[in-house]
Amino acid sequence: MLEKTTRINYLYDFYHSLLTEKQQSYMSLYYLDDYSLGEIAEEYDVSRQAVYDNIKRTEAMLEEYEEKLLLLQKFQGRVALLGKIKELINSDPPPKQALLDAVAELEKLD
Amino acid sequence: MLEKTTRINYLYDFYHSLLTEKQQSYMSLYYLDDYSLGEIAEEYDVSRQAVYDNIKRTEAMLEEYEEKLLLLQKFQGRVALLGKIKELINSDPPPKQALLDAVAELEKLD
């Protein structure tokens, strides 16, 4: 499940500001602070099922935001291109045209 | 009013996928196709006031999304840095450390 957790963490990073305060609290306790559903339920005096449903709904919302805005996908594209650009800068001598091409690709991501 | 129109156009570019279909139609007719409120009202068989209220509410929503996600602000930061990077690449010889610093600044924007 690490892959899914990593993805949700990234999506949470990008979109948490669009969530309600309660959604943010549950997600942050569950995914960042590694609380169990039972511990969150106790903390908020609600049923374990209510916490579970809220978190599942929030995960679905995060995926919907990503479908619409693609912030994670574009971020990953930029990370890859910036890695390539750094390699090119460190070549001797730095190949100008390849660098300019990579920068143009970066611009297209926006 | 050009400045406001330009800003709304940018915000619409970034966030239109979060709007309802009707909001998208009104905004796109008004801001992209330069329809008047009266023409949109006629097209949709609603009052001019209803179109006006919808567009004002949508503009406020776009600004709220920008407050939360800062996509336009980050985009402007990237455009500035990419301009600087292109200048550096075109220097002779390209200054490696300045280029790497600018790339690091780009990375911090994400």
Side-chain angles (χ1 to χ4, degrees), chain B residues 29-48:
Chain B
L29 289 172
Y30 189 69
Y31 277 105
L32 307 180
D33 302 334
D34 205 31
Y35 276 44
S36 71
L37 295 173
E39 285 167 330
I40 301 172
E42 206 170 312
E43 181 99 3
Y44 283 85
D45 199 18
V46 295
S47 71
R48 191 184 169 288

Side-chain angles (χ1 to χ4, degrees), chain A residues 19-44:
Chain A
L19 303 175
T20 67
E21 225 168 284
K22 191 165 86 176
Q23 285 176 317
Q24 291 191 36
S25 304
Y26 288 5
M27 289 298 281
S28 146
L29 289 171
Y30 189 68
Y31 277 106
L32 307 180
D33 302 335
D34 205 31
Y35 277 44
S36 71
L37 295 173
E39 286 168 330
I40 300 173
E42 207 170 314
E43 182 101 0
Y44 283 83

Side-chain angles (χ1 to χ4, degrees), chain A residues 14-18 65 68-69 71 74-75 78-79 82-83 85-86 88-97 99-100 103 106-107 110, chain B residues 14-18 65 68-69 71 74-75 78-79 82-83 85-86 88-97 99-100 103 106-107 110:
Chain A
F14 284 110
Y15 301 113
H16 66 92
S17 62
L18 299 177
Y65 283 130
K68 291 177 176 168
L69 295 175
L71 299 188
K74 288 178 180 176
F75 167 76
R78 277 198 295 275
V79 167
L82 288 172
I85 287 173
K86 282 189 278 188
L88 292 171
I89 294 173
N90 284 318
S91 315
D92 238 343
K96 287 193 181 194
Q97 195 51 55
L99 273 167
L100 290 171
V103 168
L106 259 187
E107 285 172 332
D110 258 317
Chain B
F14 284 111
Y15 300 113
H16 66 92
S17 63
L18 299 178
Y65 283 130
K68 289 177 177 170
L69 294 175
L71 298 188
K74 288 178 180 177
F75 167 75
R78 276 199 296 275
V79 167
L82 288 172
I85 287 173
K86 281 189 279 189
L88 293 170
I89 294 173
N90 285 318
S91 315
D92 239 344
K96 286 194 180 193
Q97 195 51 55
L99 273 166
L100 291 172
V103 168
L106 259 187
E107 285 173 331
D110 259 318

